[in-house]
Amino acid sequence: MRKAITIFSILSCVLINGQEGSVAISDTVVAQKDSLLSYSESAEYSFTKNQDNKNDIWGHLKYDVVTMAGGFGNAFTRPLSWEKKDFLRLGVTAAAVGAIYLADEDISRTFIRNRENVPNVFRKFGWYFGSPQINYGITGAVYVTGLLVNNEKLRRTGVLMITAASATGVIQQISKTVTGRARPGAGLGKHFFKPFGQDANFRSFPSGHTVLSVTTSYALSKQFKNPWIKGGILAVGSIVPISRVLDGAHWFSDVTLSAIMSIAIVEGIDKFMKKNGKYEEDKKYNMEKHPVGKIAWNINAGPLGLGVVGRF
């Protein structure tokens, strides 16, 4: 009897230990299975997230390119929709630049006479900052950074800068060729023009360096509300036109009209984007200008009658 109890005890221990072993093995298998599932889900999530990011980048790029094309075209067609105030601004600009034109030679002599008193680094900065390579390097870096980090404000800023620089660049190249104004350094005077002259001495108006530097600095300054930051950016941009007059490459009237043209084009493209864009900043602008539930009434008069239009 005692032997039977002993054998039963041994069998019980074996069975219990065997069962515990099975449970332990089973728990290990389940744990490994859960781990594999967790890894699989994590890998699938990472893959999906990467695909979403790629899709976002591609989608944003396509939209931004379309916006650039629209803004570029708007820069050339905007005069067709000018209002009375725009023609008034054009008249004031023409009068101001005309007055400067009369004093061009005196201003140029004054700048050149004091050129040696200006640090050489100032003039070098003016040359490099206004060059196309540096300009598009800056604007491209701003846009690509915004695109890759998914920062819409940076993307929109880059779109504005690239579009405005491209539009003003085309205008200044055409204008240089058509006007053929002699540079101060040519020694022919402010009144000498040689239209379609290929010589570099007859490409004074407008100033390409001024156009690019003012376009970039003004577009960038519009992104800040702090007046000190805005002023600092504009001050950096103004170094270029001053340095070009110091070097005798352009008349003061050249750089003045170039700067005004650049600012006008940036403003026009920015308004185009606000009116037609789908960036959050543009949506907010439109909501503030035309709030939901508020109707803006306009009276339109024409040769066939009088009409009232409600915009909401």
Side-chain angles (χ1 to χ4, degrees), residues 57-101:
I57 290 175
W58 178 241
H60 290 157
L61 178 61
K62 289 192 292 185
Y63 177 75
D64 295 338
V65 169
V66 171
T67 302
M68 289 180 196
F72 184 85
N74 179 262
F76 294 93
T77 60
R78 186 168 178 79
L80 299 176
S81 59
W82 273 6
E83 299 175 356
K84 184 178 179 179
K85 62 182 180 180
D86 297 310
F87 287 101
L88 181 61
R89 289 170 183 162
L90 178 62
V92 172
T93 299
V97 174
I100 295 172
Y101 177 86

Side-chain angles (χ1 to χ4, degrees), residues 26-223:
S26 177
D27 289 343
T28 302
V29 172
V30 170
Q32 291 177 345
K33 183 178 179 182
D34 289 343
S35 178
L36 288 172
L37 287 172
S38 177
Y39 175 79
S40 176
E41 289 173 356
S42 177
E44 183 178 357
Y45 173 76
S46 298
F47 176 78
T48 304
K49 187 175 181 181
N50 289 334
Q51 287 297 109
D52 289 341
N53 288 339
K54 289 179 180 178
N55 292 337
D56 286 344
I57 290 175
W58 178 241
H60 290 157
L61 178 61
K62 289 192 292 185
Y63 177 75
D64 295 338
V65 169
V66 171
T67 302
M68 289 180 196
F72 184 85
N74 179 262
F76 294 93
T77 60
R78 186 168 178 79
L80 299 176
S81 59
W82 273 6
E83 299 175 356
K84 184 178 179 179
K85 62 182 180 180
D86 297 310
F87 287 101
L88 181 61
R89 289 170 183 162
L90 178 62
V92 172
T93 299
V97 174
I100 295 172
Y101 177 86
L102 295 175
D104 259 340
E105 290 180 342
D106 292 333
I107 295 173
S108 182
R109 281 194 293 267
T110 301
F111 270 82
I112 293 174
R113 187 168 57 246
N114 292 281
R115 180 168 54 195
E116 298 304 321
N117 299 325
V118 178
N120 195 41
V121 66
F122 183 93
R123 292 160 56 195
K124 282 187 176 181
F125 177 84
W127 167 262
Y128 286 111
F129 187 69
S131 65
Q133 300 89 335
I134 300 298
N135 181 270
Y136 279 100
I138 295 172
T139 57
V142 171
Y143 174 71
V144 171
T145 301
L147 183 66
L148 295 180
V149 303
N150 197 23
N151 186 307
E152 189 177 84
K153 186 174 179 64
L154 275 179
R155 273 178 51 225
R156 188 189 185 283
T157 302
V159 168
L160 176 61
M161 294 168 74
I162 292 172
T163 308
S166 300
T168 52
V170 170
I171 292 173
Q172 66 93 10
Q173 284 295 330
I174 294 173
S175 300
K176 276 179 181 291
T177 303
V178 173
T179 58
R181 189 182 190 188
R183 297 181 187 272
L188 298 171
K190 66 181 180 182
H191 300 299
F192 195 93
F193 292 84
K194 187 180 179 180
F196 302 99
Q198 297 301 316
D199 195 312
N201 283 323
F202 305 106
R203 297 177 67 81
S204 184
F205 174 78
S207 166
H209 281 70
T210 299
V211 160
L212 291 179
S213 67
V214 174
T215 297
T216 299
S217 59
Y218 185 71
L220 188 59
S221 71
K222 286 178 67 65
Q223 313 309 314

